[in-house]
Amino acid sequence: GAGSAAFDGGCQAILNKLFSFTAEIMSKRKSKAVSFEANAHKFYKSTEFDEICKAKLPGSLSKSRPGCMLLGMMLSQLHQDWLTSELRHARTKRNPQLSKQKQTSKLSSSDKINEVNSFMGWSIFSAAGVIVLL
């Protein structure tokens, strides 16, 4: 119904902002002054985040700052999980021999960083395409 559509719209607005942080980080990957987590933290404290929540989220959620913060943090985690999954999929597609290795083990933090760094160009191109389409 209407509440579900509003919730989807609010989540999409928040995710669009998270995508923009990812694109920014990838385009400035040599800068240590920029990080996804720092940008997300600033965003969650901003009036822009409050306005998105109030305008786009349904019912009592739109009035609950703690609820909006939890939603933002969950969406951030989903965004990072999706990006890691897509990077892994692209890497496997580009290097089929990797698909022969066991994919059941969890990546360490340094492995995740290496995965992301290995596909910066692909990610920037993909993220920019998604942001333009939305």
Side-chain angles (χ1 to χ4, degrees), residues 19-32:
F19 260 115
S20 73
F21 297 151
T22 300
E24 178 186 0
I25 298 310
M26 291 179 182
S27 68
K28 297 177 181 177
R29 65 183 173 155
K30 292 184 180 180
S31 171
K32 295 185 191 292

Side-chain angles (χ1 to χ4, degrees), residues 8-100:
D8 289 347
C11 289
Q12 187 174 20
I14 294 167
L15 283 167
N16 283 343
K17 194 67 177 178
L18 297 175
F19 260 115
S20 73
F21 297 151
T22 300
E24 178 186 0
I25 298 310
M26 291 179 182
S27 68
K28 297 177 181 177
R29 65 183 173 155
K30 292 184 180 180
S31 171
K32 295 185 191 292
V34 182
S35 79
F36 176 85
E37 292 81 5
N39 284 348
H41 181 73
K42 287 177 195 170
F43 173 59
Y44 298 141
K45 291 176 29 176
S46 73
T47 56
E48 179 184 8
F49 179 71
D50 292 339
E51 289 168 4
I52 288 171
C53 291
K54 288 176 185 171
K56 304 237 179 212
L57 293 173
S60 60
L61 179 58
S62 67
K63 298 173 184 94
S64 170
R65 178 121 180 95
C68 290
M69 292 293 296
L70 286 172
L71 176 63
M73 289 186 286
M74 288 188 294
L75 289 172
S76 178
Q77 186 61 51
L78 286 171
H79 169 75
Q80 291 177 54
D81 291 348
W82 174 83
L83 184 59
T84 300
S85 173
E86 288 302 310
L87 290 170
R88 183 178 286 154
H89 174 71
R91 184 178 204 173
T92 302
K93 190 173 180 180
R94 288 173 53 131
N95 300 300
Q97 71 277 10
L98 293 177
S99 64
K100 295 176 186 171

Side-chain angles (χ1 to χ4, degrees), residues 108-127:
S108 68
S109 292
S110 63
D111 288 337
K112 285 182 183 180
I113 291 168
N114 288 338
E115 290 253 335
V116 171
N117 286 336
S118 295
F119 290 96
M120 265 332 142
W122 171 85
S123 299
I124 292 169
F125 177 78
S126 297

